[in-house]
Amino acid sequence: MNPVVVFALLATFFYALQNAFIEKVLEGYNLLYVQAVFNACMLAISLLASSFVKLEGKAPTSLKEVGVVLGISLVIFVADYCFLTSYDKGGSAMVISSVIATLPVMAALIGFILMKKIPTVQETVGVSCIVAGILIFSKGG
């Protein structure tokens, strides 16, 4: 199996596991504290893993590269905050995961708007199926 697909499926499994735990265990906690603990743990795990895993590629070194990484970090922080807030506002893992499934749709739109990337026929069909599935699923709930 293609390693890209394997890692994407593993990521999906771990995100689903995360959703289940957030919904059942972290209800009522201050979101910024939860997010701070998440980020501190990820930093520690990343530093620990880097001592065991052979690092390939280069690290961002120029001011521009570091600025891009900081900008992406801010975007991820806001995304995580919104994600946790959706649970705090009473969302269930099933509903939130279904909405998150629109990620390829958003990525295609952003790619088109910001980078003028025209989606392929396969991407267009895939995105259309995702949107149709979400619409059908939301009618049942």
Side-chain angles (χ1 to χ4, degrees):
M1 186 180 277
N2 183 334
V4 171
V5 174
V6 170
F7 280 105
L9 286 172
L10 284 170
T12 302
F13 169 78
F14 286 114
Y15 282 128
L17 185 63
Q18 168 191 323
N19 287 356
F21 278 111
I22 289 171
E23 180 182 20
K24 301 297 181 199
V25 179
L26 297 178
E27 184 178 346
Y29 285 84
N30 181 297
L31 299 177
L32 291 175
Y33 290 142
V34 169
Q35 200 166 358
V37 172
F38 280 174
N39 292 330
C41 290
M42 284 191 280
L43 175 62
I45 292 167
S46 295
L47 292 173
L48 182 64
S50 69
S51 65
F52 292 105
V53 177
K54 179 182 175 191
L55 298 177
E56 297 178 8
K58 64 178 191 158
T61 54
S62 73
L63 189 58
K64 179 181 177 184
E65 292 168 336
V66 171
V68 168
V69 170
L70 290 174
I72 292 170
S73 298
L74 178 63
V75 169
I76 292 170
F77 175 85
V78 171
D80 284 349
Y81 183 78
C82 293
F83 177 73
L84 291 170
T85 301
S86 64
Y87 281 100
D88 191 49
K89 299 295 181 190
S92 70
M94 184 62 77
V95 170
I96 294 166
S97 297
S98 299
V99 173
I100 298 294
T102 63
L103 182 70
V105 177
M106 298 289 188
L109 284 172
I110 290 169
F112 178 71
I113 292 168
L114 296 180
M115 295 155 214
K116 307 296 184 227
K117 179 190 176 290
I118 306 290
T120 66
V121 172
Q122 294 86 349
E123 291 169 335
T124 304
V125 170
V127 163
S128 300
C129 289
I130 291 168
V131 170
I134 297 296
L135 291 174
I136 291 168
F137 181 78
S138 67
K139 297 290 182 195

